[in-house]
Amino acid sequence: MIYVGIDIAKLNHFASAISSDGKILIEPFKFTNDNDGFQLLISKLDSLDKDSIIIGLESTAHYGDNLVRFLVTGNYKVCVLNPIKTSTMRKNNVRKTKTDKVDTYIICKTLMMQDSLRFVTFYDLDLMNLKVLGRFRQKTIKQRTRLKIQLTTYVDEVFPELQYFFKSGLHQKTVYVLLKEAPTPKAIASMHMTHLAHLLTVTSHGHFDKEMARQLRVLAQKSVGANDSALSIQITHTVAQIELLDSQLERVEAEMTDIMKFNDSVINTIPGIGYINGGMILGEIGDIHRFSSPNKLLAYAGLDPSVYQSGNFQAKKTRMSKRGSKVLRYALVNAAHNVVKNNATFKAYYDTKMAEGRTHYNALGHCAGKLVRIIWKMMTDNVEFNLD
């Protein structure tokens, strides 16, 4: 076999190759993190037997993702190594030297010492995409939530009666369309009745009628809100930003749905777990074989109980550790909430925890822990959900 070690950095990577008997086949060389650099790497590898090449690199945030995709697409066998393993190999060196060139040899030797290697597949690339999309979705939702809070604050000053007029609150399509066109009570009061009624009727799909439009205009005429042009600008711009984030979320969720449908994962056989929630869970877990037991996956999600011990005292009830992946923990708790509503066994387990005096979220945390063990078993054995 031929082992190729690549040391990843933001702008430039280093690579070298050695044979299974330790002979240096390619001296360490630098190549850039762009198409020219990738082509240079391929040109160096062309002198070797492609079927015998095993390429290894450390897991280094997102800096190596493009290179991994490029190599997997080129049908190379690529293995992403845990930095802990290469660090251990580095410490075993007699000379304590750390350079990018030396690290390439360390990675090669780490590959040689592994009993079994798991190569990156196209399915793994889909999991990488699900992870990126899931985290972007969470960030976008947080941005949208902050904007909605800001919008409520602005409207409280300009038209405080408005949010109580609509039973569903401010954050609905009809109100957004209204505020973009008429962000102040004075602007609403001056709108022609026919136009105002048409706007409400069309955007609400007939839910709001002409009588409601008349009541709204009367309310606007009597409003005690401030007719502030600065606030009205902030209202229209905030609504536009919220709508932009809504469209972005739709695009992200559509992409996640397409990936999940293509891969047809067993996780979607769990009642209550849809494409989005399931995609977030799969993306955060990645390769399930990274976790040799469900307890390790539980710890990665931060759903494992924390330990409190002092002297002879050992706490029997503790909070979850909340370490590891916050996105995975959120997705699992949200999934547990849906599964409790759709599965009798989980509902009974939830009721048992509530009967013990647990809070709602504490009981959901226990359900999420139970769900983790089931997901680990399903994904490890590739079997569908069967609990009833």
Side-chain angles (χ1 to χ4, degrees):
M1 299 302 297
I2 300 172
Y3 300 97
V4 177
I6 301 178
D7 185 71
I8 299 295
K10 182 176 181 179
L11 300 177
N12 299 295
H13 310 316
F14 278 83
S16 66
I18 62 176
S19 63
S20 53
D21 58 4
K23 180 182 178 182
I24 298 176
L25 301 178
I26 299 177
E27 295 281 351
F29 67 95
K30 181 171 70 173
F31 65 99
T32 53
N33 187 24
D34 54 27
N35 184 64
D36 290 340
F38 291 0
Q39 294 301 331
L40 173 62
L41 172 65
I42 296 303
S43 67
K44 295 278 188 178
L45 297 181
D46 281 344
S47 61
L48 307 174
D49 179 14
K50 186 174 182 178
D51 293 334
S52 301
I53 295 175
I54 296 178
I55 301 173
L57 51 92
E58 291 178 313
S59 176
T60 50
H62 61 280
Y63 295 123
D65 288 353
N66 289 334
L67 180 59
V68 170
R69 291 189 179 96
F70 178 80
L71 293 171
V72 172
T73 304
N75 295 316
Y76 285 93
K77 289 178 280 190
V78 181
C79 181
V80 178
L81 299 172
N82 189 326
I84 295 176
K85 294 180 178 180
T86 53
S87 177
T88 302
M89 181 66 69
R90 189 178 294 111
K91 289 177 182 178
N92 291 334
N93 269 356
V94 176
R95 297 180 63 187
K96 294 185 177 180
T97 305
K98 187 191 184 310
T99 66
D100 294 335
K101 294 181 179 180
V102 170
D103 281 348
T104 62
Y105 290 136
I106 296 294
I107 293 171
C108 290
K109 292 176 181 178
T110 304
L111 288 172
M112 295 173 63
M113 297 294 291
Q114 297 298 305
D115 295 330
S116 61
L117 294 171
R118 185 182 182 278
F119 303 121
V120 179
T121 64
F122 284 100
Y123 175 65
D124 294 315
L125 298 183
D126 281 343
L127 293 181
M128 288 169 57
N129 290 333
L130 285 173
K131 181 177 181 178
V132 171
L133 290 170
R135 293 191 173 190
F136 179 77
R137 178 178 179 271
Q138 287 300 96
K139 291 178 183 177
T140 305
I141 289 174
K142 287 182 179 180
Q143 287 179 310
R144 186 181 64 176
T145 300
R146 285 195 294 268
L147 287 171
K148 286 184 176 182
I149 293 172
Q150 289 177 3
L151 179 62
T152 302
T153 302
Y154 299 148
V155 174
D156 278 344
E157 294 186 62
V158 173
F159 195 173
E161 303 88 352
L162 185 64
Q163 61 179 310
Y164 303 106
F165 179 77
F166 293 97
K167 293 182 180 180
S168 299
L170 294 176
H171 304 292
Q172 53 181 300
K173 181 179 179 181
T174 301
V175 180
Y176 286 172
V177 172
L178 174 66
L179 289 176
K180 282 196 299 183
E181 184 170 335
T184 63
K186 184 178 180 180
I188 295 174
S190 63
M191 291 178 69
H192 194 282
M193 178 56 68
T194 303
H195 178 62
L196 179 59
H198 180 264
L199 184 149
L200 295 181
T201 303
V202 171
T203 55
S204 68
H205 301 288
H207 183 69
F208 302 135
D209 55 17
K210 186 175 181 179
E211 174 58 24
M212 197 161 186
R214 187 191 66 77
Q215 294 175 11
L216 176 60
R217 195 165 73 164
V218 171
L219 187 68
Q221 292 169 346
K222 297 180 179 180
S223 176
V224 296
N227 186 32
D228 193 318
S229 60
L231 284 171
S232 65
I233 291 173
Q234 292 178 84
I235 287 173
T236 54
H237 286 192
T238 302
V239 170
Q241 288 178 309
I242 292 172
E243 291 180 333
L244 173 62
L245 293 179
D246 282 337
S247 65
Q248 290 176 345
L249 283 171
E250 289 179 6
R251 180 69 184 89
V252 168
E253 291 176 354
E255 182 66 21
M256 293 179 71
T257 299
D258 288 343
I259 294 174
M260 290 296 290
K261 285 182 177 179
F262 177 79
N263 288 286
D264 193 25
S265 172
V266 293
I267 199 172
N268 288 122
T269 63
I270 301 176
I273 295 185
Y275 291 127
I276 305 304
N277 217 1
M280 291 177 66
I281 293 172
L282 290 182
E284 289 299 316
I285 291 176
D287 176 18
I288 191 62
H289 299 96
R290 293 191 301 154
F291 307 97
S292 57
S293 71
N295 287 338
K296 291 184 177 180
L297 179 56
L298 199 70
Y300 178 67
L303 291 170
D304 57 322
S306 56
V307 178
Y308 186 84
Q309 183 271 332
S310 178
N312 295 325
F313 174 76
Q314 176 73 49
K316 295 182 179 180
K317 291 184 178 181
T318 58
R319 299 174 182 268
M320 67 176 68
S321 67
K322 289 190 177 181
R323 295 183 176 181
S325 171
K326 292 188 293 184
V327 178
L328 178 58
R329 184 165 59 254
Y330 164 84
L332 286 168
V333 172
N334 189 42
H337 177 72
N338 292 330
V339 175
V340 164
K341 294 189 294 184
N342 288 276
N343 181 266
T345 303
F346 266 88
K347 179 63 167 64
Y349 184 69
Y350 170 83
D351 290 340
T352 300
K353 292 300 176 183
M354 291 294 290
E356 293 175 358
R358 311 273 185 177
T359 64
H360 168 67
Y361 287 106
N362 189 284
L364 277 184
H366 282 273
C367 292
K370 185 180 180 69
L371 185 61
V372 165
R373 299 181 186 280
I374 292 172
I375 290 175
W376 182 87
K377 179 67 174 175
M378 290 173 60
M379 294 178 65
T380 303
D381 297 341
N382 195 31
V383 295
E384 295 186 354
F385 178 82
N386 184 13
L387 194 60
D388 291 322

